[in-house]
Amino acid sequence: MADAKVIPFDDDRSRARRRPARCEDPAGPGTGTAAVRALPGAREAGAGEPAAPEPGAAGSGAPKAPAGEAAGGPAGWERRLAGGLAFLRRRVTGEYEVDEFGYDAELTDQVLMSLLRPVYEKYFRVEVKGVENIPEKGGALIVANHSGTLPLDGLMMQVAVHDHHPAGRHLRLLAADLVFVLPVVNELARKAGHTLACAEDAERLLRAGEVVGVMPEGFKGIGKPFSERYKLQRFGRGGFVSTALRAGVPIVPCSIVGAEEIYPMIGNAKTLARLLGLPYVPITPTFPWLGPLGALPLPTKWTIQFGEPIPTDSYPAEAAEDPMLMFNLTDQVREQIQHTLYKLLVQRRSVFF
């Protein structure tokens, strides 16, 4: 595999050289004849209208089945079977919608979230706090700590927003280049609504009223040794603050406790990492000693807390170019996340319970 290149979130270079997955085909490969759905206010006029959803599809406005039918019984099973067959038909014929970033809302709601939900509810038993701090409408930038060797924390945060927010909002995560060069992972990431961690994509999503998630620590956070758990790494040069200021959206700090212990990283096979073009190859108490079994994360108890939003719409347009303001706001967000992490750790009874 080619060397993975980590692109800073605040890199303002042109994406034409590093975005082949979206530039040539906005819907992403493998979408058949799927309609491309533009983000509100983020697409030129003249584009086709999105295809109408099938009866019974998510967001179609079809009447819900009575409680008794939804729970079971012949009528309930018939409705489920009909809905499932309709979903499969749309997949086969390509009669489904994706937006210009490749996000497939129907697939995410009906399949991807259903696969992640048991891990979220039963395995990690995630407790969510402060989700009401995410605005019910309009753009918002969620900034979270990053940890756990593998980026499961981002996926669990996506489920938390999707399942627990009163308005049922969707989280669009910004990911590193490595995600989009891995086969299968690239496709799933696009379908789930994720895109490259670059300022241009982030600003377009925020201006379109989306909830965007970013983890500024990057590989420094997710790949740090276990001895440095819950100690935030550097947040870069404040690119996420500049993007929020340009879009005029609030910044919502997010603190995640529990992910640090799923793969306790006690070493790093740096030579092997360089050969494979990876930022690190973790050595844990179970991996690689137990083989594939060692890749199973430990069933820790998680807490995800969304803090009070930090507004940015009161600043003038030129504020995004003020380095001192960006530094101060970056430090404010980082300190709020770090303080909440310490608070949650003090309240935690056990790593596993």
Side-chain angles (χ1 to χ4, degrees):
M1 183 172 63
D3 289 350
K5 178 176 60 176
V6 181
I7 295 185
F9 176 71
D10 50 6
D11 193 344
D12 292 327
R13 294 173 295 172
S14 170
R15 297 180 301 110
R17 299 189 299 273
R18 52 187 172 90
R19 297 281 330 276
R22 188 173 71 84
C23 292
E24 285 77 19
D25 182 6
T31 55
T33 58
V36 178
R37 172 171 53 83
L39 293 169
R43 189 178 181 185
E44 294 181 1
E49 292 296 324
E54 293 287 337
S60 64
K64 295 183 180 179
E69 292 186 1
W77 284 109
E78 288 176 4
R79 292 177 65 90
R80 290 184 181 183
L81 179 60
L85 292 175
F87 174 81
L88 291 176
R89 183 181 68 80
R90 290 191 294 274
R91 293 290 116 185
V92 173
T93 61
E95 298 175 2
Y96 57 90
E97 297 179 355
V98 296
D99 73 5
E100 57 190 303
F101 291 91
Y103 173 47
D104 189 333
E106 183 186 47
L107 182 70
T108 300
D109 290 343
Q110 298 191 23
V111 178
L112 301 181
M113 289 294 106
S114 297
L115 295 175
L116 291 173
R117 196 168 289 118
V119 180
Y120 175 94
E121 294 179 348
K122 306 298 183 182
Y123 198 79
F124 293 134
R125 295 147 290 145
V126 181
E127 179 183 1
V128 181
K129 300 179 179 180
V131 71
E132 66 278 359
N133 287 320
I134 302 172
E136 291 195 2
K137 59 182 180 179
L141 182 65
I142 298 178
V143 181
N145 59 302
H146 207 13
S147 62
T149 305
L150 292 180
L152 297 180
D153 50 0
L155 298 177
M156 295 300 103
M157 186 169 64
Q158 186 179 15
V159 179
V161 175
H162 181 275
D163 286 2
H164 295 277
H165 193 274
R169 305 210 64 179
H170 295 265
L171 178 64
R172 310 289 293 270
L173 290 170
L174 304 176
D177 269 17
L178 180 60
V179 172
F180 300 102
V181 299
L182 297 175
V184 181
V185 174
N186 168 34
E187 283 294 311
L188 291 176
R190 289 287 183 194
K191 295 290 187 181
H194 311 327
T195 189
L196 275 173
C198 65
E200 182 181 331
D201 278 5
E203 187 172 346
R204 291 178 67 192
L205 286 168
L206 291 170
R207 290 188 182 278
E210 299 285 346
V211 178
V212 178
V214 63
M215 295 171 164
E217 293 175 282
F219 290 125
K220 300 188 301 295
I222 195 175
K224 64 178 177 288
F226 188 64
S227 60
E228 298 180 15
R229 59 192 180 278
Y230 298 114
K231 296 178 181 178
L232 293 183
Q233 305 299 299
R234 185 173 175 266
F235 268 24
R237 294 171 292 177
F240 69 91
V241 170
S242 177
T243 302
L245 286 168
R246 288 192 178 96
V249 300
I251 299 172
V252 181
C254 177
S255 302
I256 304 174
V257 165
E260 293 276 16
E261 294 90 0
I262 60 173
Y263 295 110
M265 187 169 166
I266 58 177
N268 179 12
K270 296 182 179 180
T271 302
L272 181 59
R274 284 194 295 269
L275 291 174
L276 296 177
L278 298 173
Y280 55 86
V281 172
I283 299 174
T284 74
T286 58
F287 183 84
W289 327 114
L290 299 183
L293 186 62
L296 188 68
L298 297 178
T300 58
K301 175 75 169 62
W302 287 34
T303 301
I304 299 178
Q305 179 162 335
F306 299 94
E308 291 286 339
I310 300 171
T312 64
D313 54 356
S314 61
Y315 294 99
E318 61 272 14
E321 308 301 329
D322 185 346
M324 284 305 300
L325 176 61
M326 285 194 295
F327 175 81
N328 290 334
L329 285 176
T330 301
D331 192 57
Q332 179 183 350
V333 174
R334 187 179 182 278
E335 287 300 316
Q336 187 168 335
I337 295 173
Q338 184 70 82
H339 176 76
T340 304
L341 286 175
Y342 288 148
K343 182 180 177 180
L344 292 174
L345 288 171
V346 170
Q347 296 172 350
R348 183 169 68 168
R349 296 178 300 170
S350 166
V351 172
F352 299 101
F353 305 102

